[in-house]
């Protein structure tokens, strides 16, 4: 049985060329980048080169990049360090109801410390209305954190508009965006969109896990979240993971020139999947599905079909997809994203699966997936 992976939004396979770079770096470049000898300088060069590539990929300067352990650390640092540093200016923060938990949990933590957080709602397509950001801004707002693209339904937010609204307002709020899911397919430009802080993770773009970066505008100094050595110009303590950094650089170099071509392929695969399902006798709807959408994330509501059962039956046949709900410690937790979009009474919450594709996904795989989904969902329909 051929196994098929349709969960690239959860994590993506490492590109074979990235594996080679990691292996080479592990074998040959083990010096500590802070050491002044030859071995250390060799590692330092790798970090400096990678920083240049990361910066260029989002229209930033190398000095504006802090290398981190990934999306969670980048989000936590951006939010918590901004709040702690800026509390003399105010204690109000704006975010959305559909952020990743790497953003929502720090917000809850800050609320316990006495900060006030406004959670903006989204419409049925999962989008934050930029005008709501404008209305929510207050003289004491110190941070706005709105994700670039949503990981569950693939909605791309109007980041350019939100950035322009904050820039043109009298507010001094920093603008942070979690671009973890968007980086692989969207052309990000932090200067064009007036972004002050931006989070990236390696494992969503066929790079290694446990590595990523945080862009911090050059006029902002964020104290280090990790306390210890003076790495990353005192922004992030801890000995640099040279193989992971070199691997992420390679993943970015592979991704950049292919971005548009991949986007075209994903649009085709998405259309193929939706067409095959439409032709069959299944009742389904595509959640989100706005005109601004990550093509490779398809959130599908199969009416009357329990998502967990569909997911498990597909898994038995070697097909990996994700449910709209997350299983935590044995209990099923409804997705906060779908709840925010449709309300808690909606059957969509328990009947949604997420299909996400990427490196290695073929048209033949999509045909097989559609065939299996149609067969199993007809059997499971209540
Ligand atoms: N933000 C978003 C939107 C994500 O999808 C993820 C990963 O699922 C994260 C943050 C966390 O990133 P990491 O796994 O690198 O910590």
């Amino acid at each position: 049985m051929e196994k098929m992976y349709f969960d690239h939004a959860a994590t993506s396979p490492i590109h074979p060329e990235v594996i080679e770079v990691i292996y080479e770096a592990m074998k040959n470049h083990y010096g500590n980048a802070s050491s002044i000898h030859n071995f250390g300088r060799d590692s330092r060069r790798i970090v400096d080169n990678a920083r240049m590539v990361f910066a260029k990929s989002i229209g930033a300067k190398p000095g504006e990049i802090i290398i981190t352990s990934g999306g969670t650390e980048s989000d936590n640092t951006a939010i918590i360090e901004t709040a702690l540093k800026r509390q003399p200016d105010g204690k109000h923060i704006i975010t959305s109801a559909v952020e990743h938990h790497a953003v929502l949990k720090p917000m809850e933590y800050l609320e316990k410390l006495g900060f006030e957080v406004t959670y903006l709602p989204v419409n049925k397509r999962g989008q934050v209305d930029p005008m709501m950001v404008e209305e929510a801004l207050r003289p004491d707002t110190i941070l706005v954190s709105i994700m670039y693209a949503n990981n569950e339904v693939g909605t791309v937010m109007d980041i350019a508009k939100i950035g322009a609204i904050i820039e043109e307002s009298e507010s001094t709020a920093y603008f942070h965006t979690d671009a973890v899911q968007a980086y692989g397919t969207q052309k990000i430009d932090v200067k064009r969109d007036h972004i002050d802080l931006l989070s990236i993770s390696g494992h969503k773009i066929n790079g290694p896990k446990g590595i990523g970066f945080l862009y911090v505008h050059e006029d902002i100094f964020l104290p280090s979240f990790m306390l210890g050595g003076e790495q990353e110009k005192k922004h992030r303590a801890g000995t640099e993971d040279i193989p992971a950094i070199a691997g992420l650089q390679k993943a970015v170099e592979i991704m950049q020139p292919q971005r548009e071509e991949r986007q075209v392929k994903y649009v085709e695969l998405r259309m193929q999947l939706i067409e095959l399902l439409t032709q069959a006798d299944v009742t389904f709807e595509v959640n989100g599905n706005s005109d601004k959408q990550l093509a490779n994330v398809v959130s599908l509501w199969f009416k009357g079909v329990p998502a967990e059962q569909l997911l498990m039956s597909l898994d038995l046949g070697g097909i990996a997809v994700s449910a709209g709900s997350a299983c935590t410690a044995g209990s099923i937790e409804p997705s906060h994203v779908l709840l925010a979009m449709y309300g808690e009474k909606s059957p969509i919450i328990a009947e949604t699966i997420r299909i996400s594709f990427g490196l290695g996904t073929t048209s033949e795989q999509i045909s097989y997936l559609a065939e299996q989904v149609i067969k199993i969902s007809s059997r499971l329909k209540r």
Side-chain angles (χ1 to χ4, degrees):
M1 177 179 67
E2 192 201 343
K3 283 198 202 159
M4 289 185 194
Y5 188 70
F6 297 100
D7 203 11
H8 291 252
T11 194
S12 60
I14 304 195
H15 195 287
E17 289 176 42
V18 173
I19 297 176
E20 274 174 34
V21 168
I22 294 173
Y23 179 70
E24 204 275 327
M26 274 189 165
K27 221 163 98 185
N28 300 320
H29 308 283
Y30 48 83
N32 185 322
S34 300
S35 303
I36 53 172
H37 49 60
N38 198 8
F39 291 81
R41 289 200 308 277
D42 173 54
S43 291
R44 168 65 42 213
R45 258 191 305 276
I46 292 178
V47 178
D48 290 344
N49 280 341
R51 196 188 309 283
M52 278 194 281
V53 171
F54 300 159
K56 198 157 173 254
S57 72
I58 56 166
K61 298 178 186 165
E64 296 177 311
I65 302 295
I66 304 173
I67 298 172
T68 66
S69 65
T72 302
E73 187 190 324
S74 296
D75 286 344
N76 274 245
T77 306
I79 295 162
I80 295 174
E81 291 308 318
T82 294
L84 296 183
K85 178 188 143 161
R86 296 208 60 194
Q87 46 185 334
D89 304 327
K91 290 186 126 189
H92 179 237
I93 300 173
I94 300 170
T95 191
S96 84
V98 298
E99 300 295 313
H100 190 271
H101 283 124
V103 166
L104 292 177
K105 295 287 172 184
M107 294 296 175
E108 284 169 23
Y109 171 71
L110 290 173
E111 281 179 302
K112 288 196 193 108
L113 296 186
F115 288 82
E116 190 188 336
V117 181
T118 300
Y119 296 91
L120 297 178
V122 291
N123 62 18
K124 293 237 175 319
R125 302 191 149 186
Q127 277 160 332
V128 169
D129 178 353
M131 297 319 290
M132 283 197 168
V133 176
E134 185 165 27
E135 281 160 27
L137 279 173
R138 306 189 323 209
D140 62 339
T141 309
I142 51 171
L143 176 69
V144 176
S145 181
I146 305 285
M147 70 201 317
Y148 209 113
N150 184 269
N151 46 303
E152 289 192 30
V153 289
T155 306
V156 179
M157 304 289 180
D158 199 343
I159 290 300
K161 188 87 183 279
I162 296 171
I165 284 173
I166 300 168
E167 176 71 11
E168 283 157 25
S169 73
E170 285 176 7
S171 171
T172 64
Y174 295 168
F175 179 29
H176 167 248
T177 185
D178 174 340
V180 165
Q181 289 290 339
Y183 190 41
T185 52
Q186 308 299 299
K187 177 88 192 82
I188 295 173
D189 187 330
V190 288
K191 304 297 173 195
R192 176 196 66 197
D193 294 343
H194 308 290
I195 297 165
D196 298 309
L197 302 152
L198 178 133
S199 305
I200 293 294
S201 171
H203 71 101
K204 310 287 181 177
I205 60 152
N206 312 116
K209 294 174 187 34
I211 192 79
F213 62 88
L214 172 66
Y215 152 79
V216 182
H217 188 285
E218 60 186 341
D219 294 345
I220 299 173
F221 180 87
L222 280 193
S224 181
F225 190 63
M226 308 282 273
L227 305 176
E230 298 195 344
Q231 288 90 355
E232 295 298 288
K233 295 205 187 85
K234 299 188 187 168
H235 281 296
R236 201 273 185 183
T239 302
E240 294 89 343
D241 184 343
I242 303 301
I245 293 170
L248 178 55
Q249 176 185 338
K250 186 69 186 173
V252 174
E253 284 169 341
I254 295 169
M255 169 199 84
Q256 289 271 100
Q258 292 179 358
R259 198 189 271 123
E260 280 171 30
E261 184 190 319
R262 267 196 283 141
Q263 182 67 7
V264 172
K265 182 183 162 199
Y266 295 157
V267 170
E268 278 170 15
L269 293 175
R270 181 186 187 87
M271 277 167 42
Q272 181 194 350
L273 176 64
I274 294 173
E275 253 171 55
L276 287 170
L277 295 174
T278 310
Q279 284 160 16
D281 189 22
V282 281
T283 3
F284 78 100
E285 261 172 49
V286 188
N287 301 321
N289 209 24
S290 66
D291 48 349
K292 293 190 90 200
Q293 173 75 38
L294 298 180
N296 59 325
V297 177
V298 198
S299 174
L300 294 167
W301 171 32
F302 289 97
K303 298 182 187 179
V305 181
E308 262 69 36
Q309 288 182 34
L310 177 54
L311 185 146
M312 283 187 280
S313 304
L314 286 167
D315 186 42
L316 283 175
I319 296 175
V321 302
S322 159
S325 318
C327 295
T328 5
S331 68
I332 310 286
E333 269 191 30
S335 144
H336 67 283
V337 175
L338 297 176
L339 279 175
M341 287 166 69
Y342 303 113
E344 58 187 34
K345 294 212 175 80
S346 171
I348 299 177
I349 318 292
E351 297 173 355
T352 286
I353 62 165
R354 178 188 68 184
I355 290 162
S356 52
F357 29 83
L359 180 70
T361 312
T362 62
S363 167
E364 291 71 33
Q365 289 185 347
I366 294 287
S367 299
Y368 184 71
L369 168 72
E371 191 186 298
Q372 293 305 306
V373 167
I374 292 162
K375 202 166 85 186
I376 297 167
S377 59
S378 313
R379 178 160 54 81
L380 292 175
K381 201 170 162 82
R382 20 186 178 216

